[in-house]
């Protein structure tokens, strides 16, 4: 009897397992619009979690609700598949505990008007997410929703009741687990570009949040923000026009490699006359690294950054590492205004409008730390009007020498004193700069958001002619110029070029040489150690890596027959080529030679890049 019961139990259990496996292993389906379904919402209604809905190019005048399903809805691309809410409510709604993997991708989302959501029984309905609304409710009866937004554009959306903040004209998130926004444009919305409240994990990367009437990104109340390689520009708000972060405990925020520019605080909501044109921080632990914060307006407190407030749970820490904070404006603290202290390192804070570039005050009558290390600022424009613990080390006070700040190019020129002036031993030094390039070059790091990677910085570009006799000497030139500090000779389209190999000043008598050419500006990664004792060159001479460098050739070679062939014949030094033909189009060509200093001793010459523009 017991054996029969045991066998029956096993059979029943096996049957239940098979039923479960058969249900859970349902093949994920792909639905199409307008193929299998006429509308996107009809496809959602028919779909199950795990399914994909492919939406063809076209205009879809509808609003969609994921209905708690973990779907991937994929359009044909921005400007191709267009979701138009016709100002009837939120265009996309995620409000039923949608699981991880829920995604919308490849759409233009426009003309939404944030729907009203009853977020908790005691509050009035709130207009949220004109473009996309992600909503969890209180008290929490079910799992929090999730969403991935990829390769979308959200524009011309708004909140009900002329609300500028508190709901997100573009994307509004209230009580969610994980929301990510990638490679997305959020422009020209009425209300914040992105609003997050009670979001466990909000990630924004490689996105543009621009020209919104309301903060570009506003995150508050126990939320965590990780923002990477974004551009927040031309937004306007009462505080924190570019980025507003408040009351983050127990979470912290990280902002990396972003441009926060041209944002304007219009009227104040949390300060006497508005604060934080670029960034507003209150009661948060925040790290901002490798960012450009420029041309933002306070107008009263902190044109670039305003930090105030203490979260009850603490700690409240403010780290600025490797940032460029310039050309902002406010009455107090044109660059930075902080009431709870800061730690600044490897940064540039200069040329901001207002009574000072950095203003630290004590808003809570307790000791604060103001640590300024390995940064470029004017001490006369630093004001600390409290008994703060002021730490200064390794700072400089010199013009930063940007490439073209008038036209918004804040990369460092090669004559910038900020090059190699940072602290490469800094704990948690970012690995990449604002351009995504290595933060440490040749063992050193720069001040500011930009790490200079120009080949002219490498010793290989100087060559080794006359080393040990007062050199290296620059003997290779184009049109009489060795290119100066950046080893670059510029000429207009239609110009001709004369290449010269001068006599090495420490040597007498003609010297044989070869000149190699690359149709490009060498990168640091091109540097190669050439055998036969020649040493480092800026690029590989032909024919070392012919297959890897199809634009590499021999310009001239008077050592003997060249396996690559030569462009023009030459004689030993001193030598100049005949004028070349007029070049009728833009062209970049880099030249570097090898010369015989003594019998059997060969050394590289200097590098010259000739650019026809």
């Amino acid at each position: 009897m017991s054996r029969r019961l045991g066998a029956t139990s096993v059979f029943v259990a096996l049957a239940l397992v098979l039923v479960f496996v058969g249900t859970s292993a349902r093949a994920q389906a792909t639905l199409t619009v307008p193929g299998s379904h006429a509308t996107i919402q009809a496809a959602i209604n028919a779909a199950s979690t795990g399914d994909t809905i492919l939406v063809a190019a076209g205009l879809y005048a509808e609003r969609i609700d994921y209905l708690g399903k973990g779907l991937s809805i994929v359009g044909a691309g921005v400007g191709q598949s267009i979701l138009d809410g016709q100002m009837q409510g939120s265009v996309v709604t995620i409000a039923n505990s949608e699981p991880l993997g829920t995604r919308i991708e490849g759409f233009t989302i426009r003309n939404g008007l944030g729907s009203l959501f009853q977020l908790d029984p005691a509050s009035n309905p709130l207009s949220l997410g004109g473009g996309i609304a992600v909503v969890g409710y209180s008290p929490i009866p079910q799992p929090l929703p999730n969403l991935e937004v990829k390769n979308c554009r959200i524009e011309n959306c708004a909140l009900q009741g002329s609300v500028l903040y508190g709901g997100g004209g573009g994307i509004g998130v209230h009580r969610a687990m994980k929301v990510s926004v990638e490679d997305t444009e959020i422009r020209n919305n009425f209300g914040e570009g992105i609003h997050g409240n009670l979001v466990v994990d909000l990630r924004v990367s490689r996105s543009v949040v621009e020209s919104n009437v309301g903060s570009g990104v506003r995150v508050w109340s126990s939320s965590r923000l990780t923002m990477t390689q974004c551009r927040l520009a031309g937004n306007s708000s009462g505080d924190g026009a570019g980025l507003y972060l408040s009351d983050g405990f127990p979470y912290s925020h990280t902002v990396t490699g972003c441009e926060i520019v041209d944002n304007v605080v219009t009227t104040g909501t949390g300060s006497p006359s508005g604060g934080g044109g670029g960034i507003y921080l209150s009661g948060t632990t925040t790290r901002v690294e490798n960012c450009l914060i420029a041309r933002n307006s306070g107008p009263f407190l902190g044109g670039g950054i305003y930090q105030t407030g203490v979260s009850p749970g603490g700690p409240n820490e403010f780290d600025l590492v490797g940032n460029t904070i310039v050309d902002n404006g406010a009455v107090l603290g044109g660059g930075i205004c902080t009431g709870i202290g800061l730690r600044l390192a490897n940064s540039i804070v200069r040329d901001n409008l207002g009574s000072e570039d950095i203003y630290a005050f004590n808003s809570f009558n307790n000791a604060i730390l103001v640590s300024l290390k390995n940064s470029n600022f004017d001490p006369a424009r630093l004001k600390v009007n409290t008994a703060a613990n002021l730490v200064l080390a390794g700072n400089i006070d010199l013009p930063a020498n940007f490439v073209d700040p008038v036209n918004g190019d804040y990369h460092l020129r090669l004559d910038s004193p900020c090059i190699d002036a940072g602290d490469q031993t800094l704990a948690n030094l970012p690995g990449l700069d604002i351009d995504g390039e290595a933060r440490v070059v040749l063992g050193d790091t720069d001040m500011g958001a930009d790490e200079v990677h120009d080949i002219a910085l490498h010793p290989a570009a100087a060559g080794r002619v006359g080393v040990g006799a007062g050199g290296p000497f620059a003997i290779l030139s184009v049109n009489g110029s060795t290119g100066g500090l950046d080893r670059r000779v510029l000429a207009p389209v239609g110009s001709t070029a004369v290449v010269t190999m001068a006599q090495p000043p420490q040597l007498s008598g003609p010297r044989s040489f070869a000149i190699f050419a690359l149709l490009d500006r060498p990168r640091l990664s091109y540097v190669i150690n050439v055998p036969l004792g020649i040493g480092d060159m800026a690029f590989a001479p032909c024919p070392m890596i012919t297959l890897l460098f199809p634009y590499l050739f021999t310009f001239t070679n008077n050592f003997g027959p060249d396996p690559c062939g030569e462009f023009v014949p030459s004689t030993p030094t001193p030598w100049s080529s005949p004028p070349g033909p007029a070049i009728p189009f833009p062209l970049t060509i880099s030249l570097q030679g090898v010369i015989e200093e003594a019998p059997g001793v060969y050394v590289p010459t200097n590098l010259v890049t000739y650019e026809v523009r």
Side-chain angles (χ1 to χ4, degrees):
M1 188 71 168
S2 63
R3 289 180 182 175
R4 287 182 188 148
L5 283 174
T8 301
S9 299
V10 170
F11 177 80
V12 171
L14 180 61
L16 289 172
V17 169
L18 290 174
V19 168
F20 175 78
V21 171
T23 302
S24 62
R26 169 191 172 274
Q28 295 178 350
T30 299
L31 297 77
T32 60
V33 179
S36 59
H37 296 82
T39 66
I40 302 172
Q41 189 62 54
I44 293 172
N45 295 342
S48 299
T49 290
D51 289 349
T52 298
I53 299 173
L54 300 180
V55 180
L59 174 61
Y60 299 86
E62 58 175 308
R63 298 181 295 116
I64 62 174
D65 189 328
Y66 276 61
L67 302 175
K69 302 175 183 180
L71 306 173
S72 292
I73 303 180
V74 182
V78 170
Q80 300 297 310
S81 297
I82 302 171
L83 262 173
D84 193 316
Q86 299 181 301
M87 305 306 289
Q88 297 300 305
S90 299
V91 183
V92 178
T93 298
I94 306 289
N96 289 282
S97 302
E98 285 76 2
L100 287 169
T102 303
R103 174 168 60 112
I104 186 164
E105 180 175 355
F107 283 90
T108 292
I109 299 169
R110 71 187 192 192
N111 296 335
L113 183 65
S115 298
L116 294 174
F117 295 91
Q118 186 75 43
L119 301 177
D120 61 72
S123 67
N124 294 322
L126 177 67
S127 179
L128 192 71
I132 298 175
V134 183
V135 182
Y137 295 94
S138 177
I140 302 173
Q142 54 192 352
L144 295 172
N146 302 268
L147 179 64
E148 301 171 15
V149 182
K150 296 184 177 181
N151 297 300
C152 288
R153 178 187 296 153
I154 303 171
E155 61 186 11
N156 300 325
C157 297
L159 299 171
Q160 296 188 36
S162 300
V163 176
L164 295 182
Y165 53 87
I171 298 175
V173 184
H174 181 88
R175 286 196 179 91
M177 181 60 66
K178 183 175 182 179
V179 175
S180 63
V181 181
E182 301 177 9
D183 303 301
T184 290
E185 301 173 13
I186 304 172
R187 304 176 187 268
N188 300 313
N189 299 287
F190 193 82
E192 304 108 333
I194 300 174
H195 169 88
N197 178 32
L198 298 168
V199 188
V200 174
D201 190 0
L202 175 59
R203 298 173 182 256
V204 186
S205 58
R206 302 180 305 278
S207 295
V208 176
V209 186
E210 190 171 70
S211 301
N212 299 283
V213 182
S215 299
V217 176
R218 185 183 184 98
V219 179
W220 60 294
S221 190
S222 300
S223 298
R224 176 194 290 117
L225 172 69
T226 304
M227 189 164 67
T228 308
Q229 292 181 313
C230 291
R231 177 177 170 85
L232 311 183
N235 303 287
S236 59
S237 181
D239 286 298
L243 174 64
Y244 182 106
L245 301 174
S246 178
D247 302 324
F249 183 79
Y251 303 116
S252 59
H253 307 299
T254 304
V255 182
T256 302
C258 294
E259 291 185 24
I260 303 175
V261 297
D262 300 315
N263 301 285
V264 178
V265 166
T266 51
T267 58
T269 58
S271 56
S273 298
I279 301 175
Y280 176 98
L281 305 171
S282 178
T284 68
T285 293
T286 302
R287 180 180 174 91
V288 180
E289 56 189 26
N290 295 343
C291 290
L292 170 64
I293 302 169
R295 303 187 306 275
N296 302 285
S297 173
F300 186 67
L301 298 170
I305 302 173
Y306 176 47
Q307 161 84 334
T308 186
V310 174
S311 174
N316 298 273
E317 299 177 346
F318 180 26
D319 289 293
L320 291 170
V321 180
N323 298 285
T324 299
I325 305 171
V326 293
D327 294 337
N328 304 284
V331 174
L332 299 176
I336 302 169
C337 181
T338 176
I340 67 166
L342 80 137
R343 293 189 292 248
L344 179 80
N346 293 3
S347 294
I348 302 169
V349 188
R350 301 189 66 87
D351 304 323
N352 298 282
L353 298 177
S355 55
E356 56 276 309
D357 284 309
I358 303 172
Y359 175 40
F361 64 96
N362 190 340
S363 57
F364 294 95
N365 297 316
N366 56 352
I368 64 173
L369 171 66
V370 178
S371 173
L372 311 175
K373 296 183 177 181
N374 295 92
S375 294
N376 187 354
F377 63 91
D378 180 354
R381 291 181 54 77
L382 165 66
K383 182 177 182 181
V384 180
N385 69 349
T386 178
N389 179 14
L390 180 62
V391 178
L392 303 172
N395 301 301
I396 63 173
D397 174 21
L398 293 167
N401 292 353
F402 299 117
V403 171
D404 187 6
V406 173
N407 292 302
D409 189 345
Y410 292 96
H411 290 88
L412 298 177
R413 294 196 327 234
L414 289 181
D415 61 351
S416 172
C418 300
I419 293 175
D420 295 342
D423 179 7
Q424 73 274 14
T425 68
L426 193 68
N428 300 315
L429 183 73
L432 302 176
D433 73 354
I434 192 170
D435 297 322
E437 297 178 317
R439 186 75 263 200
V440 177
V441 177
L442 304 176
D444 293 301
T445 192
D446 302 339
M447 294 176 176
D450 169 45
E451 191 74 26
V452 176
H453 277 250
D454 199 283
I455 186 65
L457 295 176
H458 198 285
R464 294 197 301 114
V465 175
V467 170
F473 301 116
I475 62 172
L476 178 61
S477 63
V478 178
N479 292 343
S481 173
T482 60
L485 187 64
D486 62 354
R487 306 189 186 280
R488 196 185 306 257
V489 178
L490 305 180
V493 169
S495 298
T496 62
V498 174
V499 177
T500 297
M501 183 69 81
Q503 179 69 28
Q506 84 281 13
L507 301 175
S508 61
R511 301 289 165 166
S512 297
F513 65 89
I515 300 175
F516 304 99
L518 173 69
L519 292 176
D520 195 2
R521 173 77 167 178
R523 303 175 186 175
L524 285 172
S525 59
Y526 291 7
V527 172
I528 187 169
N529 187 270
V530 181
L532 303 177
I534 294 172
D536 284 347
M537 294 186 64
F539 57 90
C542 186
M544 282 189 66
I545 318 180
T546 307
L547 294 178
L548 296 181
F549 288 89
Y551 301 108
L552 181 72
F553 62 95
T554 299
F555 184 77
T556 189
N557 184 353
N558 53 63
F559 285 116
D562 192 286
C564 294
E566 61 179 355
F567 187 72
V568 296
S570 61
T571 58
T573 60
W575 172 85
S576 292
S577 72
I583 301 175
F585 47 78
L587 177 71
T588 298
I589 181 170
S590 295
L591 304 172
Q592 188 168 26
V594 172
I595 191 167
E596 187 177 27
E597 279 196 324
V601 178
Y602 305 94
V603 296
T605 72
N606 57 295
L607 169 77
V608 180
T609 296
Y610 181 59
E611 291 188 7
V612 178
R613 298 179 177 177

